[in-house]
Amino acid sequence: MDDLESIAEKIRTMEIRGAGRIAVAASAALRDYARTLGSLDIEEFNVKLEEAARTLVETRPTAVSLPNAVELTKRHSSLRVDEAIDEIVDNADRFITNAGEALGKIGRIGAERVRDGDVIMTHCNSHAAISIIKTAFDHGKDISVIATESRPRRQGFITIKELSDYGIPTTLIVDSAVRLTMKEVDLVVVGADSISVNGALINKIGTSQLALAAQEARRNVIVAAETYKFSPRTLLGEMVEIEDRDSDEVIDPEILKELPNLKVKNPAFDVTPAEYIDLIITEAGAFPPAMAFTIIKDYLGLELTL
Ligand code: RUB
């Protein structure tokens, strides 16, 4: 459990972050943990597996990629531990391979929406969004990017480094400059932590601000999301929980101590309603948000709602 606990801690502290990377790390951690349980009987094995799954899922509440990855990995139908382990190893390897391939497909499908000369605004640090941007650039399109800082954790710095190292002209702005800057933008491309059955996007805090400003300026917003970022449980009426993180990320605790009447709120994600989203680019194609139910049914399976 030590290795699994150490991955769980890295997800909690955001050393491993971003919905896709969290999912892949959790799937691999569960696979490797299952492999250590070979000497147990099947009942003990299942109990340990469930405990480990819970530990991983409870690390961060918002990205549905995490429970989806854990659920798809831990499923097995065997009464023998060795066979159960084989199934889990296959599940994890399939999930991780598909996740890697999905990024490439999203890049290729999404790049078709980028025109030569486009200025793209992005937010936070999304592998899926970056895949679209890099692929458009690889296709020879003369693009540039405006990236938000993404306070408080400043994941925008990871994005600007990656894009600028890749040779893509990139401009960094503070989050509050989004509306002013939107007039220079042709297209907004962001990632997803979760997409609910009504097509709403849950992504890094501030995403809805980009979408609102884009709609006001009549710019298109596209979301880059693997199908495993869709939330089956929203079909049962469940809401996606918005993670509240520690005030330390926003303000020095020493300063906070001296201000007894101050409360700090640090929601890590927000919700962008479907009407602000033009298209969701998945590995299975480009869909309008209204098709979220179909994606959940056809690509994840309704049994994930159980
Ligand atoms: C990251 C974030 C990203 C999505 C998608 O938040 O909001 O936009 O997770 O990322 P945090 P990807 O830094 O709090 O994890 O496309 O890489 O899965």
Side-chain angles (χ1 to χ4, degrees):
M1 191 81 167
D2 282 1
D3 291 346
L4 183 121
E5 186 45 59
S6 118
I7 296 293
E9 186 57 15
K10 284 183 180 165
I11 296 174
R12 247 177 245 125
T13 57
M14 293 175 61
E15 190 178 324
I16 298 172
R17 51 146 297 282
R21 278 151 286 174
I22 289 173
V24 165
S27 180
L30 200 58
R31 173 196 63 197
D32 297 343
Y33 178 63
R35 278 186 172 132
T36 68
L37 304 177
S39 60
L40 303 181
D41 67 37
I42 192 72
E43 279 83 25
E44 290 168 332
F45 176 84
N46 286 334
V47 169
K48 292 277 182 202
L49 196 67
E50 285 304 324
E51 265 174 32
R54 236 185 345 267
T55 300
L56 289 165
V57 168
E58 283 171 358
T59 51
R60 291 192 78 186
T62 302
V64 73
S65 54
L66 175 58
N68 282 350
V70 166
E71 187 57 40
L72 292 168
T73 302
K74 79 176 162 76
R75 275 184 190 171
H76 73 86
S77 53
S78 183
L79 294 174
R80 286 185 43 172
V81 172
D82 54 345
E83 288 173 2
I85 294 174
D86 286 347
E87 273 186 64
I88 289 166
V89 169
D90 282 352
N91 292 343
D93 290 347
R94 195 176 327 112
F95 181 81
I96 293 165
T97 305
N98 289 347
E101 288 175 1
L103 278 177
K105 289 181 190 157
I106 288 170
R108 288 191 290 282
I109 297 167
E112 295 298 321
R113 305 293 299 194
V114 178
R115 291 156 305 185
D116 194 34
D118 271 358
V119 177
I120 298 169
M121 183 181 276
T122 192
H123 186 52
C124 192
N125 174 253
S126 156
H127 261 39
I130 286 176
S131 176
I132 293 179
I133 295 168
K134 281 183 172 174
T135 310
F137 183 74
D138 290 343
H139 290 177
K141 291 178 183 167
D142 176 22
I143 57 164
S144 62
V145 173
I146 298 178
T148 55
E149 181 187 20
S150 311
R151 279 273 294 157
R153 295 292 293 249
R154 295 191 165 101
Q155 291 93 329
F157 282 82
I158 309 172
T159 299
I160 57 166
K161 167 127 182 53
E162 190 168 346
L163 294 177
S164 146
D165 284 352
Y166 207 69
I168 300 174
T170 304
T171 305
L172 174 68
I173 58 167
V174 294
D175 300 319
S176 41
V178 161
R179 184 164 177 249
L180 180 78
T181 316
M182 193 54 78
K183 57 181 177 295
E184 297 165 30
V185 170
D186 298 296
L187 181 66
V188 173
V189 182
V190 291
D193 279 86
S194 287
I195 296 172
S196 58
V197 67
N198 64 1
L201 164 71
I202 296 88
N203 192 50
K204 180 53 56 197
I205 187 81
T207 301
S208 66
Q209 214 161 242
L210 268 74
L212 201 59
Q215 189 173 69
E216 181 191 41
R218 295 173 163 273
R219 303 299 194 262
N220 284 338
V221 174
I222 66 177
V223 177
E226 301 87 331
T227 49
Y228 66 81
K229 309 263 181 77
F230 286 73
S231 172
R233 295 192 65 88
T234 57
L235 262 173
L236 303 176
E238 222 175 70
M239 305 283 281
V240 175
E241 185 183 337
I242 302 291
E243 179 180 15
D244 266 316
R245 293 193 61 88
D246 209 281
S247 61
D248 294 14
E249 292 184 344
V250 180
I251 189 168
D252 184 335
E254 292 305 313
I255 299 176
L256 192 56
K257 250 194 261 162
E258 284 161 24
L259 300 168
N261 294 319
L262 178 71
K263 196 165 87 186
V264 176
K265 281 188 145 199
N266 183 18
F269 300 96
D270 67 14
V271 183
T272 302
E275 55 267 34
Y276 294 90
I277 299 163
D278 293 289
L279 214 50
I280 303 174
I281 312 287
T282 75
E283 72 277 19
F287 297 95
M291 282 187 73
F293 171 74
T294 309
I295 297 171
I296 293 173
K297 182 164 72 64
D298 292 353
Y299 296 95
L300 286 165
L302 297 183
E303 61 275 19
L304 268 191
T305 56
L306 298 174

